[in-house]
């Protein structure tokens, strides 16, 4: 009799364990599905038609209409600037949004140039810690640089430089700007979340395919 009761209890315990395992598996499946849907909520921007042709500073750009920040600006021809916004994969759980403003070089000095000519003379004494390899220097607020910090690579002759500003809304992500000279006539100014500074060694490399697709630079 005791043996039968023991066998019944064992069978019952086994059934409970199996049931719990099934429920746990279903819960995990739903969790994975929910995470997958969440990751797909912001897709990576695709270089796909319809396209808009723009000539700026002698560079003939062909950009997807969906990338234009102002969707109503769809006419082609010559332009003083081309303002894009794209979602790119930087290795995080979600694609990261990067603004790309193309302008003639005469209207936007490179960040590396501004480091020596402007920012260096506005540095405060303190130094901030941040992404490995970068130095953070706050700027003097009385000269119009309110709550802004310049992050730069001190070891390179052509350093990575970005100027970041604290978000105006509490809890928001700080935003950064980086201007790069692409050709003798064309520059691009990137705007992005400060969290992307952790990828600064490969930042320009990650954006190069977009520049090649649009025609801003030629292939390597």
């Amino acid at each position: 009799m005791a043996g039968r009761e023991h066998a019944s209890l064992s069978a019952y315990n086994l059934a409970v364990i199996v049931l719990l395992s099934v429920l746990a598996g279903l819960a995990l499946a739903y969790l994975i599905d929910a995470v997958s849907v969440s990751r797909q909520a912001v897709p990576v921007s695709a270089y796909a038609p319809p396209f808009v042709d723009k000539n700026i500073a002698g560079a003939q750009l062909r950009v997807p209409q969906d990338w234009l920040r102002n969707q109503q600006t769809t006419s082609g021809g010559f332009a003083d600037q081309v303002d894009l916004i794209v979602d790119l994969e930087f290795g995080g759980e979600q694609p990261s949004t990067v603004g790309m403003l193309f302008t003639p070089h005469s209207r936007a000095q490179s960040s590396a140039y501004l480091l020596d000519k402007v920012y260096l003379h506005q540095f405060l004494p303190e130094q901030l810690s941040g992404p490995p390899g970068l130095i953070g220097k706050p700027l003097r607020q009385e000269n119009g640089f309110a709550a802004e910090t310049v992050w730069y690579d001190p070891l390179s002759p052509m350093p990575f430089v970005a100027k970041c500003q604290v978000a105006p809304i509490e809890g928001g992500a700080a935003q950064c700007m980086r201007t790069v000279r692409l050709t003798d006539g064309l520059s691009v100014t990137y705007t992005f979340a400060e969290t992307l500074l952790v990828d600064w060694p490969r930042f320009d490399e990650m954006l190069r395919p977009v520049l090649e697709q649009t025609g801003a630079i030629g292939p390597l």
Side-chain angles (χ1 to χ4, degrees):
M1 186 70 176
R4 289 182 180 179
E5 291 179 353
H6 179 73
S8 298
L9 287 174
S10 298
Y12 173 79
N13 291 338
L14 181 60
V16 169
I17 292 173
V18 170
L19 178 60
L20 290 176
S21 298
V22 170
L23 292 175
L26 287 173
L28 180 60
Y30 280 119
L31 177 61
I32 292 174
D33 183 65
V35 171
S36 299
V37 171
S38 175
R39 288 182 176 176
Q40 294 173 4
V42 182
V44 174
S45 296
Y47 188 78
F51 294 110
V52 177
D53 293 323
K54 296 283 188 179
N55 189 302
I56 179 170
Q60 186 64 42
L61 305 182
R62 169 160 286 192
V63 299
Q65 181 178 324
D66 287 345
W67 291 12
L68 291 170
R69 191 183 295 269
N70 182 0
Q71 291 293 312
Q72 296 179 351
T73 307
T74 57
S75 59
F78 292 91
D80 293 329
Q81 65 180 39
V82 176
D83 196 2
L84 308 180
I85 184 166
V86 295
D87 294 308
L88 304 173
E89 182 59 63
F90 273 85
E93 293 185 358
Q94 287 275 12
S96 300
T97 300
V98 177
M100 303 177 68
L101 178 63
F102 294 99
T103 59
H105 180 60
S106 58
R107 293 179 52 188
Q109 294 288 355
S110 71
S111 295
Y113 174 88
L114 292 174
L115 176 65
D116 289 331
K117 300 300 182 181
V118 178
Y119 301 148
L120 185 64
H121 306 289
Q122 307 298 329
F123 284 166
L124 290 172
E126 59 262 36
Q127 180 172 310
L128 305 179
S129 60
L134 292 184
I135 288 178
K137 297 290 290 185
L139 299 176
R140 300 182 186 278
Q141 297 191 25
E142 61 268 22
N143 293 322
F145 298 106
E148 293 183 308
T149 300
V150 170
W151 295 93
Y152 69 98
D153 164 25
L155 302 179
S156 173
M158 290 297 294
F160 175 95
V161 182
K163 180 166 68 72
C164 303
Q165 184 173 33
V166 175
I169 302 175
E170 185 176 355
Q175 294 294 308
C176 302
M177 295 177 58
R178 168 169 168 76
T179 300
V180 179
R181 184 173 181 172
L182 301 177
T183 67
D184 288 340
L186 185 65
S187 294
V188 61
T189 297
Y190 303 116
T191 54
F192 54 95
E194 189 179 49
T195 52
L196 289 185
L197 286 179
V198 69
D199 289 317
W200 72 267
R202 64 187 189 119
F203 183 86
D204 292 333
E205 177 187 348
M206 293 291 292
L207 287 159
R208 184 177 180 87
V210 178
L211 299 178
E212 291 181 354
Q213 287 175 326
T214 59
I217 60 173
L220 288 175

